[in-house]
Amino acid sequence: MVGHERSRQLTADPLPPTLGLSDGNHANYLWDDHDRQVRIIDWEDSGRSDRAFELAEVCEHISRVDGALDAEQLLAATELTRQERERVRDFRQLLALGWFLMLGPDGPSAARNPAGTLERQARRGPSPARLTANR
């Protein structure tokens, strides 16, 4: 699990800094079959980020529990350094925990998500085996 010092390093040291959407909602990524390109919308939360966070956000966003995203396939197809893979793993752990807290009975997102969302997230959450396999 990510410790306090590692959490501080994750947020203080992007590798390398990049423009990011910072919102992994899959509805923000529109596939254009004709041009075979992804078009990105909803830039309200965008800003300075890094690839590791952006990939983790797409992999762990709650919108994927009912979708077809294979996070492990996405990560395997993305060229990442060892350090970036570690950061993706750590960000995924933090984001998964954040979703559990937001979807819990008293969480701010519990009321606006369909019944059973928390349970689906728990069943699909990142397993330690999957997260360490990406090292």
Side-chain angles (χ1 to χ4, degrees):
M1 190 54 108
V2 179
H4 174 72
E5 178 61 23
R6 183 66 180 134
S7 297
R8 190 189 64 70
Q9 289 174 351
L10 282 172
T11 58
D13 187 25
L15 297 172
T18 187
L19 175 63
L21 195 59
S22 299
D23 182 353
N25 187 334
H26 297 183
N28 294 336
Y29 300 86
L30 306 177
W31 175 252
D32 183 333
D33 264 338
H34 178 72
D35 292 333
R36 300 194 50 78
Q37 293 182 355
V38 174
R39 309 224 188 257
I40 302 173
I41 61 171
D42 191 6
W43 289 84
E44 70 186 68
D45 294 326
S46 66
R48 182 182 169 160
S49 188
D50 67 32
R51 290 183 341 142
F53 174 81
E54 295 299 323
L55 284 166
E57 174 69 11
V58 168
C59 290
E60 295 305 320
H61 196 278
I62 195 67
S63 65
R64 61 99 184 96
V65 295
D66 294 322
L69 174 70
D70 183 335
E72 306 325 308
Q73 184 179 14
L74 171 65
L75 294 174
T78 305
E79 196 171 312
L80 297 169
T81 66
R82 181 190 57 76
Q83 192 172 16
E84 284 178 313
R85 287 197 183 281
E86 290 173 1
R87 290 171 65 80
V88 168
R89 180 201 64 224
D90 292 348
F91 276 128
R92 286 185 72 184
Q93 289 176 346
L94 287 172
L95 290 163
L97 174 61
W99 277 112
F100 282 122
L101 295 173
M102 290 191 303
L103 292 167
D106 296 323
S109 296
R112 62 179 207 225
N113 282 286
T117 301
L118 178 61
E119 291 77 12
R120 285 191 305 279
Q121 174 71 0
R123 282 192 305 271
R124 198 267 155 225
S127 73
R130 274 201 319 267
L131 291 172
T132 56
N134 288 324
R135 283 188 164 197

